Amino acid sequence: MTQTVAAVSEIASRGYAQPDVLVSTQWVEDNRNNPNVRLLESNEDVLLYETGHIPGAVKIDWVTDLNDPLLRDYVSRDRFERLLRSKGINQDTTIVLYGDKNNWWATYAFWVFKLFRVENLRVLDGGRLRWAEEGRPLVTNLPSYPEGNIRVRERDDSRIRAFRSQVELHVQRNGKLVDVRSPEEYRGERLHMPEYPNEGALRGGHIPGAKSIPWGRAITAETHTFKPASELRTLYESENGLQKSDDVVAYCRIGERSSHTWFVLTYLLGFKNVKNYDGSWTEWGNLVRASIEKP
Amino acid sequence: MDRETRLAWLLDHYRRPRYRGVLPDADARVPGGNPGCGDIITMSLKDGEVRWEGIGCTLSQAAASILAERVNTEKMTFEEILAMPPEAMIELLGRDIAESRPGCALLALGTLKGAVKTVEMNRKLKAAGHTDEQIAELRRA
């Protein structure tokens, strides 16, 4: 039984470049027992899945599953393939990612999956919160699936990932940069809150030339779903001067929030060359002699 | 405790937090937080009693409840609190769960230690002749 919540428009009507990358809550309801569909929940909150998840969904932990335990890097191809197979994912499985914080972590997982060039990826529009607010079921029992047979290709960091040296070059060329952190972080006022511990950066501010476009502005607050393409174009193109043909680098603190913006620009607006700088402020804000703007 | 039991224990502390609140006329009321993910804990100390307030993820809030319960029921001294290693907190919460989120798991302990140090420093400042008003002014600076 669904509850009365703010209505959302059909995904197909919103003018996205690749509307098929999103699925609605009703689509998930209709397909969650389909053996060729696998739901993956990825949250910031490490225990949220255990408090209840969409029936049939399995958990992806962005820390332990996607990040190498030693290097600051993502897991190897072998390890990633074992992970996906352990979730019962086959070559032709449609993978639907969803999670807390308006899919912040789901799009981060999506971006990592795309580093490995995984196909058939979708994101549940509105994420976990929309599902819950509609009164749809959340369960605590853990599903089990037979080992999958997906073959994962070698990770390709060249297309959608930016490293420090590339960002430095991008700055020199006056390339387009999007800082998706809060305005306070962008202005260097909030490296940490007053009396709160510093979280990993010695300097505050932003990378020279970066525009401040907080990631959450791509979301309709009342529904937790992505804004229509027309509103997204106003935000990114009209108000901030980005163009589809631009090379764009997005960053935040560790590359998680900026993966959300990468997703929006790439799949919803059809930008061709967007990279996520996962080193982000925890790298740049600690670099000796890295140039910083602080208004 | 097996993983399932530990998960149930953590979720119970999250849903029914113990020792949550504010102590009137606390000797110290110290906030701590992870601005990146939005976890916030404020610890209050008064005569060996601890209370906490906060918002944030399941683990950070459950950890605060578990720590406050331990400090209050075992009547831990300041020395014992300051000597409690982060590893002990990770073990208490369950290494398989807490190790991947040390910021969340250790926020309460770090904030509590900060509160203890605040009380101790305030005592030293008083012993050195500073008034409460002067100490408050020093802390604002």
Side-chain angles (χ1 to χ4, degrees), chain B residues 13 17 68 124:
Chain B
H13 269 276
K124 287 177 187 170

XYZ file of all heavy atoms in Angstrom, chain B residues 13 17 68 124:
31
model
N 20.313 0.250 20.439
C 20.845 1.496 21.022
C 20.490 2.702 20.155
O 20.265 3.795 20.667
C 22.363 1.396 21.195
C 22.752 0.860 22.545
N 22.856 1.645 23.661
C 23.021 -0.399 22.949
C 23.201 0.914 24.703
N 23.302 -0.345 24.298
N 17.954 5.197 22.453
C 19.228 5.691 22.977
C 19.219 5.854 24.500
O 18.245 6.336 25.070
C 19.404 7.044 22.284
C 18.049 7.426 21.816
C 17.304 6.156 21.549
N 28.093 6.125 26.517
C 27.518 6.813 27.682
C 27.042 5.800 28.718
O 27.216 5.996 29.924
C 26.368 7.719 27.234
N 42.376 23.578 36.039
C 43.728 24.152 36.130
C 43.677 25.674 36.045
O 44.390 26.378 36.759
C 44.610 23.599 35.000
C 45.022 22.153 35.207
C 45.840 21.652 34.018
C 46.110 20.154 34.158
N 46.690 19.594 32.923
